[in-house]
Amino acid sequence: MDAKKVLDDLKRRFPNEVEYHQAVEEVLSTIEEEYNKHPEFDKVNLIERLCIPDRVFQFRVTWMDDKGNIQTNMGYRVQHNNVIGPYKGGLRFHSSVNLGILKFLAFEQTFKNSLTTLPMGGAKGGADFTPRGKSNAEVMRFCQSFMLELSKHIGPDIDVPAGDIGVGGREIGYMFGMYKKLRKEFTGVLTGKSMEFGGSLIRPEATGYGNIYFLMEMLKTKGTDLKGKSCLISGSGNVAQYTAEKVLELGGKVLTMSDSNGYIYDPDGITTEKLNYIMELKNVYRGRISEYADKYGVKYVAGEKPWGEKADIALPSATQNELNGDHARQLVANGVIAVSEGANMPSTPEAIEVFQDAKILYAPGKAANAGGVSVSGLEMSQNSLRLSWTSEEVDNRLKSIMKNIHEACVKYGTQPDGYVNYVKGANVAGFMKVAKAMMAQGIY
Ligand code: NDP
């Protein structure tokens, strides 16, 4: 494989899709050595076929706001690869959404889903619509209009979307209702549903809990655990909330949480009671994290990320490229021992280099946040079986999946000096399964 040529070709054909280029570059640089051991891959130009999505849908979403004005947004679905199972990946509703971001997420999702060992291909979608600041009725009308178009491209054996930034239980419920009405069928076409209509226990918790299960496996390799360790968490949405909950349960201390306006720093630690307040603030009142600082009299830093604070562990759980090289240097200088990503691609390439040069434990989102899609996969299984498993059963399966992903990373990512390059481990393990399936299914 000539990684540079593959990347240059992608940049020429798809200019301006910088996050997509970034994600492809990271994967190519880590799988090149393994890929070149298999000349049969190059004979069928496997890498180019794997980097370019199978298909992309773009559509206009028109809806009426509460004042009677007609609003227009762009909707997308990127179906990246389905060689190991139906397309699967979340929907993101945020004003920053564009095709390049969704192509990066769908590409990453393909490797992540492969790592989970469950039969799921990779996809991602969404719209440049932000639910924040909209009324419930507006969000419902938007979701219905979005599904009017998306329903043509998905199905329980074709493509099964889930939530992501801006898409939680409320949005999934509205979209599910519309799909059901349009298609006259009750199927597991979306995951992240409420428990009353086919959701899985532990799905809301899965990404955050899974990240901490992965972190615990990493810490175990150093003979330690979370007890008494201080943690910086970014974000205060779904992933951040349940990451914090599991950290507290396992004896760690949470010092920070954030939103897109700034972060709070609580030197005494965010307790379970204070976390419940954040959950209500974010999930019910849809307020700002600065309100926590007002209520508990702690520091609020507007317009900044929490990475300058001193702590043992960093858990980025908001969005892509939220932790840059300078942040990484600050974290390392402050003695951080582990960084485990709840968000997708939150660390820039420069930041990753800093962590790996410092030989600290560093887990990319592709491995560490795979718990969310894993439990989505378990939700699909329960829907097909028309059964509901107990919390304990789902949680045990999640723990075992995260442990297996950790083992795969160690297997493929351990360097001669014993340092585990989790990025390489995750990419190679995820890639090999997809590559073998592509080879077996022929050229089309
Ligand atoms: P939510 O919408 O529930 O929360 C997102 C959080 O990140 C909010 O606190 C939001 O702040 C903040 N945020 C969003 N965009 C930005 C930005 N541009 N700059 C700073 N802060 C921002 O999303 P999730 O918790 O579900 O997702 C968080 C991350 O985890 C994403 O990278 C997602 O792809 C990833 N992920 C999610 C999974 C899931 O199961 N939900 C599964 C695997 C990965 P504000 O309220 O101000 O917008």
Side-chain angles (χ1 to χ4, degrees):
M1 176 209 322
D2 182 346
K4 186 177 175 317
K5 183 178 170 307
V6 176
L7 194 66
D8 285 347
D9 275 354
L10 284 186
K11 287 181 178 170
R12 180 181 50 76
R13 289 160 115 168
F14 312 108
N16 309 321
E17 296 181 354
V18 286
E19 290 86 358
Y20 172 49
H21 305 157
Q22 182 183 334
V24 172
E25 187 165 11
E26 182 217 274
V27 169
L28 294 189
S29 67
T30 49
I31 63 167
E32 195 169 5
E33 193 187 328
E34 189 65 29
Y35 185 94
N36 288 336
K37 291 182 193 159
H38 298 269
E40 69 276 17
F41 290 170
D42 235 18
K43 273 197 191 130
V44 295
N45 196 9
L46 187 128
I47 199 63
E48 194 178 32
R49 290 164 53 210
L50 179 56
C51 289
I52 298 176
D54 288 351
R55 66 190 69 80
V56 174
F57 302 104
Q58 296 192 51
F59 46 92
R60 174 171 52 77
V61 184
T62 298
W63 56 283
M64 190 187 283
D65 68 21
D66 286 346
K67 293 186 182 123
N69 299 319
I70 305 303
Q71 304 282 350
T72 300
N73 287 94
M74 279 307 296
Y76 307 88
R77 186 70 179 165
V78 178
Q79 295 181 335
H80 190 85
N81 186 295
N82 68 348
V83 288
I84 60 173
Y87 299 107
K88 179 96 196 87
L91 296 170
R92 177 175 292 191
F93 289 171
H94 193 267
S95 55
S96 62
V97 162
N98 59 42
L99 194 52
I101 289 178
L102 296 178
K103 280 169 75 176
F104 119 63
L105 289 163
F107 176 78
E108 290 273 299
Q109 194 80 45
T110 300
F111 297 92
K112 184 191 303 187
N113 292 2
S114 166
L115 275 176
T116 66
T117 69
L118 300 175
M120 301 181 288
K124 203 83 187 188
D128 60 351
F129 166 86
T130 304
R132 175 154 44 90
K134 310 282 193 307
S135 71
N136 262 326
E138 288 176 324
V139 171
M140 183 175 72
R141 287 195 291 273
F142 176 82
C143 289
Q144 291 174 336
S145 186
F146 181 81
M147 187 48 89
L148 208 53
E149 198 63 34
L150 186 70
S151 62
K152 297 171 189 165
H153 310 298
I154 61 174
D157 294 317
I158 301 170
D159 183 352
V160 183
D164 190 74
I165 291 177
V167 178
R170 174 182 62 167
E171 290 76 13
I172 292 287
Y174 293 149
M175 286 190 274
F176 184 78
M178 193 56 169
Y179 180 88
K180 191 168 57 64
K181 186 167 174 67
L182 288 166
R183 301 286 281 259
K184 294 184 284 178
E185 58 184 33
F186 192 111
T187 56
V189 68
L190 293 166
T191 58
K193 300 184 290 298
S194 284
M195 278 311 295
E196 301 79 21
F197 52 94
S200 174
L201 288 163
I202 307 291
R203 176 59 189 93
E205 294 88 346
T207 309
Y209 281 17
N211 187 18
I212 299 307
Y213 295 152
F214 194 93
L215 171 71
M216 291 294 283
E217 291 297 319
M218 290 203 296
L219 292 174
K220 213 192 282 175
T221 66
K222 302 285 173 196
T224 186
D225 60 23
L226 255 171
K227 281 193 199 84
K229 304 257 182 344
S230 54
C231 301
L232 305 176
I233 296 180
S234 65
S236 49
N238 171 270
V239 177
Q241 291 171 16
Y242 289 105
T243 298
E245 187 169 281
K246 193 50 87 175
V247 167
L248 295 183
E249 193 187 312
L250 297 178
K253 185 172 177 182
V254 178
L255 295 175
T256 66
M257 286 180 85
S258 71
D259 60 24
S260 48
N261 295 104
Y263 75 90
I264 54 107
Y265 177 82
D266 190 334
D268 297 330
I270 298 172
T271 57
T272 301
E273 187 199 330
K274 292 170 173 176
L275 181 60
N276 287 340
Y277 166 76
I278 293 179
M279 288 183 173
E280 199 167 315
L281 175 72
K282 287 289 169 183
N283 307 344
V284 182
Y285 299 109
R286 301 188 186 267
R288 310 310 299 155
I289 199 72
S290 57
E291 293 169 52
Y292 179 102
D294 299 338
K295 183 170 168 71
Y296 295 108
V298 302
K299 177 167 91 171
Y300 170 68
V301 184
E304 294 288 338
K305 319 276 183 213
W307 314 126
E309 303 292 349
K310 186 171 165 50
D312 301 311
I313 292 165
L315 301 162
S317 309
T319 193
Q320 68 274 0
N321 293 329
E322 57 165 317
L323 196 165
N324 63 27
D326 289 338
H327 296 136
R329 278 182 282 275
Q330 265 178 307
L331 284 169
V332 169
N334 280 336
V336 79
I337 59 165
V339 178
S340 199
E341 297 182 341
N344 283 310
M345 209 168 76
S347 304
T348 63
E350 191 189 347
I352 297 172
E353 211 177 311
V354 171
F355 295 143
Q356 292 183 333
D357 286 349
K359 306 254 167 180
I360 63 157
L361 296 168
Y362 165 70
K366 194 180 288 141
N369 72 30
V373 73
S374 300
V375 175
S376 273
L378 300 178
E379 183 173 331
M380 288 166 73
S381 305
Q382 292 169 80
N383 290 166
S384 298
L385 291 166
R386 307 228 187 273
L387 281 177
S388 271
W389 295 331
T390 62
S391 298
E392 200 187 6
E393 192 165 356
V394 179
D395 200 25
N396 283 339
R397 284 176 195 260
L398 171 63
K399 273 186 202 146
S400 127
I401 289 170
M402 297 315 293
K403 193 167 186 285
N404 289 341
I405 296 175
H406 182 267
E407 271 168 23
C409 291
V410 171
K411 179 176 169 194
Y412 289 102
T414 303
Q415 296 181 168
D417 65 357
Y419 178 68
V420 182
N421 181 337
Y422 284 90
V423 179
K424 181 176 178 194
N427 286 340
V428 173
F431 163 75
M432 284 307 289
K433 185 172 162 192
V434 174
K436 284 180 186 166
M438 284 176 76
M439 292 300 290
Q441 291 176 26
I443 302 153
Y444 53 87

